Amino acid sequence: MANSLVWPCAIVIAWVVGEFGQRWTRLPSISFYGLVGFVLATTQSSFLPLSDSEPILALADVAFGLILFELGYRINVRWLLTNPWIGLAGLVEALATFGVVYLIASAFNVNNITALMLASLAMATSPASLVRVINEQRSSGQVTERVLHLTALNCMLAVFAFNIVIGLWIFRSSGDIAEATLNSLITLLLSLGIGAVLGVIVPGMLRLLGNSTQDATVAFALGLILLVSLTYTAKLSPEIGALAFGLVARHRRTTFSQTQRNFGALGELLTVLLFVYAASTLDWHKAMAGAALALVVLVARMLTKTLCVTLFSHLSGVSWRKGWLTGLSLAPLSIFAILVLEHARLRGVIVADELRAMAAVTMMLEVFGPLLIQSALDWARETPHPPESRDAT
């Protein structure tokens, strides 16, 4: 009976701390959710059990799927085709990040497969922090749109690279390179396919009902629950499926109004659960053991992304300042990396301590990630209340 109450209690505690923390510090509320989960984790306080956490992981994937759907929904492919420098900037910064992190991990004597996994995860930016802060701040403008598009590209590249590395791990275990490569490629294609099919079916059904604006939130949420269930059954990637779902749904011209951002109360509740669960999987001792490598990787990753995006600023049509702020907004990583590692563990992949340490350190720094995004959007003057007006009040 007691075990059945711990997760609801943890979610309530995280929400209360987030609300009061936001009021007292003016930090985004999500900055506090992960900290509560980390404090309540089995390895820290033994409050949250992980022995029966797979159903909670499924709910966390639904929560993350809602966020990734919204991210994919906001991607404008025509804009990327009209201004290909944005996509090229994203590709260059992701590949540069991969190379830099791999070299750093190798310098720390991390084995080759683990270094490749670490480098592929470092390519990504956490959409959970980004989308939540943008919606809370009601931000809009060049920096906002560019960071959304670059984050989506980063996530897709990171999942693709990580699956290739998993394929190499399978090859080392089985010795069959064809099976390893085919397994990774099929996983990605089927995940994209499921998301794309739902992106056609759900908007089509809403149009037939004739009230797509009113019922879009519920229909898309149910579609994402179905998507997560299908990807679990087939051992596919719910992250790629959710991105494809949102991307295709947008281009089917289905209205998703501003009032439906974050999927309302459902999205709010699941976001709290997502951050609490992700932080609860982390181990303080492993975090401290690998803190030096993780901190070096985080600093190098942030500098690489910021530099690469800034270099493409004028080519892509914005000032150096806005290019720098866009790169700075790509800093958060944690939630994406943690969930990908959990899925790798469930697939039988041995997750090295260096990867756990990286995830733990990024989670502990989660309080600064949303603040960094919020500050960058303020400095870019893309929020309704820029820093000057706040000071005036």
Side-chain angles (χ1 to χ4, degrees):
M1 181 67 177
N3 283 341
S4 64
L5 292 175
V6 292
W7 280 103
C9 289
I11 292 170
V12 170
I13 293 170
W15 182 81
V16 171
V17 171
E19 291 300 306
F20 280 100
Q22 183 183 40
R23 177 172 298 182
W24 292 340
T25 67
R26 295 187 180 179
L27 292 173
S29 56
I30 58 171
S31 296
F32 299 95
Y33 298 158
L35 294 179
V36 171
F38 189 77
V39 170
L40 298 180
T42 300
T43 52
Q44 278 70 253
S45 64
S46 299
F47 184 82
L48 291 174
L50 288 179
S51 58
D52 57 348
S53 63
E54 192 165 344
I56 304 297
L57 174 59
L59 286 175
D61 275 318
V62 171
F64 198 49
L66 297 177
I67 294 166
L68 285 170
F69 169 87
E70 186 171 346
L71 176 64
Y73 184 86
R74 297 184 66 163
I75 301 307
N76 187 341
V77 176
R78 292 181 181 176
W79 186 42
L80 293 177
L81 294 175
T82 303
N83 190 350
W85 291 109
I86 298 173
L88 184 59
L91 182 62
V92 169
E93 60 91 356
L95 293 177
T97 301
F98 182 94
V100 168
V101 172
Y102 177 77
L103 291 175
I104 290 172
S106 299
F108 274 79
N109 297 317
V110 176
N111 71 70
N112 193 47
I113 291 294
T114 301
L116 288 171
M117 286 185 180
L118 190 61
S120 60
L121 289 177
M123 296 165 71
T125 297
S126 178
S129 300
L130 178 68
V131 171
R132 181 60 181 267
V133 171
I134 286 174
N135 286 339
E136 281 186 354
Q137 300 299 312
R138 300 190 303 280
S139 174
S140 62
Q142 281 284 341
V143 172
T144 302
E145 293 305 315
R146 285 165 188 261
V147 75
L148 284 169
H149 284 70
L150 291 175
T151 296
L153 181 60
N154 281 344
C155 289
M156 294 189 71
L157 290 172
V159 172
F160 178 77
F162 192 80
N163 274 277
I164 294 298
V165 177
I166 295 296
L168 292 175
W169 183 84
I170 294 173
F171 168 65
R172 288 182 59 180
S173 302
S174 66
D176 190 343
I177 187 65
E179 177 189 353
T181 304
L182 188 62
N183 188 20
S184 298
L185 185 60
I186 288 175
T187 296
L188 291 170
L189 291 178
L190 287 178
S191 301
L192 284 169
I194 290 175
V197 168
L198 285 172
V200 173
I201 292 176
V202 175
M205 182 191 69
L206 289 171
R207 279 195 296 273
L208 286 175
L209 292 173
N211 53 356
S212 59
T213 301
Q214 180 181 348
D215 295 337
T217 305
V218 174
F220 287 136
L222 290 174
L224 281 161
I225 293 172
L226 177 60
L227 183 146
V228 170
S229 301
L230 290 173
T231 53
Y232 263 66
T233 302
K235 296 184 178 180
L236 303 176
S237 170
E239 297 86 8
I240 291 296
L243 271 172
F245 185 10
L247 182 64
V248 174
R250 173 199 173 102
H251 290 84
R252 298 298 293 178
R253 301 186 182 280
T254 300
T255 303
F256 194 64
S257 69
Q258 184 66 33
T259 58
Q260 296 167 320
R261 300 299 186 196
N262 289 328
F263 283 82
L266 173 65
E268 178 73 24
L269 172 63
L270 290 178
T271 297
V272 180
L273 181 145
L274 169 64
F275 277 80
V276 172
Y277 169 78
S280 73
T281 66
L282 305 177
D283 189 332
W284 168 261
H285 303 291
K286 291 180 180 179
M288 291 300 98
L293 170 60
L295 289 173
V296 172
V297 166
L298 285 174
V299 172
R301 173 185 174 275
M302 185 170 66
L303 291 175
T304 302
K305 286 182 174 291
T306 303
L307 177 62
C308 290
V309 175
T310 303
L311 289 175
F312 280 87
S313 299
H314 281 189
L315 290 172
S316 61
V318 292
S319 65
W320 295 114
R321 182 174 179 274
K322 288 204 170 184
W324 171 71
L325 292 173
T326 301
L328 192 64
S329 300
L330 295 173
L333 166 67
S334 57
I335 295 296
F336 182 90
I338 293 168
L339 290 183
V340 170
L341 287 175
E342 280 300 293
H343 281 288
R345 182 181 63 81
L346 291 176
R347 290 170 63 182
V349 177
I350 300 173
V351 178
D353 287 347
E354 291 87 355
L355 294 170
R356 287 293 185 191
M358 175 70 178
V361 171
T362 56
M363 192 72 239
M364 287 190 293
L365 295 175
E366 184 64 34
V367 66
F368 301 109
L371 177 61
L372 198 61
I373 297 171
Q374 180 178 298
S375 299
L377 296 175
D378 280 344
W379 295 335
R381 301 180 184 277
E382 296 189 0
T383 58
H385 305 290
E388 290 80 359
S389 63
R390 289 178 183 173
D391 294 339
T393 57

